[in-house]
Amino acid sequence: MIEVSKAAVYARISSDQEGSGLGVLRQVEDCRRLGAELGWAIAGEYVDNDVPSNGKRRPEYERMLFDIANGSLDAVLVYHVDRLTRRPMEFEQFLDVIDAAKLRHVRFVAGGDIDIGSGDGLMIVRMLAAMAANESATKSRRVKRKLDQLAQAGLPHGGYHRPFGYADDKVTVREDEAEVIRDVAQRFLGGESLRSLATWLDATGIRTVSGGPWRTPTLRAMLSSARIAGLREHRGEVIGRAVWQPIVDEQTRGRIVGRLADQAVTGRRNPRRYLLSGLLRCGKCANTLFSAARGDRRRYVCMSGPDHGGCG
């Protein structure tokens, strides 16, 4: 029996629509069971829930690689190679890390008794990684084609949350929320700032569809969306009319987009006037302190309200 005293369990699932984490929990349980059968002691569990393997950051995967590199682990247990990665290039990077750390023991629950430390075993795992990449690419093409068809028909696409102003079917207008959108749109065009409007929404108890407070990026995205004007947007472009009814007319939405464009910054940062900007924390709530001019005095404040969330 191979002696392992510091095995890692890695689990990942691309989409956890229920938000329960049951998919990754089952992977972890199966890896624990395999570890017990092998007599391997589990030193750590690394779980990336609701994180796709498409090049985006996977914090727990990165943490596992760091622990492998510094010698904290001597084996890895994974449910299947496609849970580790669906990208052959990333798999080769994983091999480089474990080779440099002289980690020789990687076992998969599904896929048979493969010894990644042998030439034949490594060849099989590389083939499995290539098959996983091909399956991922095929699925991606099908999804993109489906989204294109939905867009061309003016139909809504999927998503975890309904759009503000519309019911769960993403088509039926919710008149109570539609009135809020119209009110906010007119007040914004009348000169009010997005931040003041977000503050007003929170103060009146109006929440986003996820139940959270309003932030200026959320409000900006809602007001500038083609959806509220009854238009179908796809890949950043308006491609035609949608099947749902508009909440505001196209002219109003056009004026909103125009005002937002006028407010857009150049992207160049102003020179730092305060040495400790972004470095200080509030002693009461631990929120980041921001510089705030008052004459010629240097001062830092804990800002409350949307986008800051401090105690004030």
Side-chain angles (χ1 to χ4, degrees), residues 1-232:
M1 180 178 291
I2 299 172
E3 184 176 347
V4 169
S5 60
K6 299 177 295 184
V9 168
Y10 180 71
R12 180 189 64 82
I13 193 169
S14 299
S15 177
D16 181 14
Q17 297 189 11
E18 297 178 356
S20 60
L22 294 178
V24 288
L25 179 59
R26 286 190 288 268
Q27 292 179 37
V28 170
E29 290 175 345
D30 288 346
C31 288
R32 287 175 186 161
R33 190 176 299 112
L34 177 59
E37 293 173 358
L38 295 171
W40 292 5
I42 306 299
E45 294 176 354
Y46 305 79
V47 177
D48 283 314
N49 188 42
D50 204 21
V51 180
S53 175
N54 59 0
K56 293 184 179 179
R57 286 197 60 191
R58 291 186 282 157
E60 287 296 279
Y61 177 75
E62 293 174 6
R63 186 170 70 89
M64 181 180 70
L65 293 185
F66 178 82
D67 289 346
I68 291 173
N70 67 23
S72 299
L73 301 170
D74 58 9
V76 177
L77 291 162
V78 190
Y79 182 78
H80 191 273
V81 66
D82 64 5
R83 299 302 89 197
L84 190 65
T85 180
R86 285 180 177 270
R87 305 170 68 226
M89 181 179 69
E90 193 173 54
F91 181 67
E92 293 302 320
Q93 292 169 346
F94 171 77
L95 293 177
D96 289 341
V97 172
I98 66 172
D99 186 57
K102 294 182 170 48
L103 187 152
R104 297 289 180 258
H105 310 304
V106 180
R107 295 292 294 273
F108 303 98
V109 174
D113 186 14
I114 301 174
D115 179 10
I116 200 172
S118 69
D120 289 343
L122 184 56
M123 180 187 69
I124 293 171
V125 174
R126 280 190 168 120
M127 291 173 61
L128 290 173
M131 290 171 61
N134 180 67
E135 180 185 350
S136 179
T138 301
K139 180 180 178 182
S140 178
R141 287 193 297 270
R142 288 198 300 264
V143 170
K144 287 179 180 178
R145 178 58 182 150
K146 180 181 178 181
L147 292 178
D148 289 343
Q149 289 178 328
L150 290 174
Q152 290 165 6
L155 295 168
H157 57 72
Y160 297 155
H161 298 297
R162 64 177 179 82
F164 189 85
Y166 293 86
D168 290 337
D169 62 4
K170 301 179 178 63
V171 173
T172 305
V173 174
R174 286 186 50 157
E175 196 54 41
D176 57 335
E177 293 180 351
E179 280 302 315
V180 172
I181 293 175
R182 296 186 190 106
D183 187 15
V184 168
Q186 291 303 318
R187 289 170 63 171
F188 176 70
L189 291 174
E192 291 191 48
S193 69
L194 290 175
R195 188 168 186 270
S196 67
L197 289 168
T199 301
W200 171 76
L201 287 167
D202 287 341
T204 53
I206 300 172
R207 293 299 193 208
T208 64
V209 292
S210 62
W214 287 90
R215 298 286 183 260
T216 54
T218 308
L219 197 54
R220 182 185 295 108
M222 181 185 75
L223 289 177
S224 62
S225 70
R227 164 177 272 281
I228 65 172
L231 301 173
R232 186 60 164 92

Side-chain angles (χ1 to χ4, degrees), residues 274-308:
Y274 290 78
L275 179 64
L276 301 177
S277 292
L279 300 178
L280 297 180
R281 296 280 179 175
C282 175
K284 183 177 180 181
C285 71
N287 195 59
T288 301
L289 298 185
F290 293 87
S291 57
R294 178 173 287 178
D296 59 355
R297 293 176 56 196
R298 290 182 178 274
R299 59 195 292 265
Y300 302 88
V301 299
C302 183
M303 300 182 72
S304 60
D307 306 330
H308 295 103

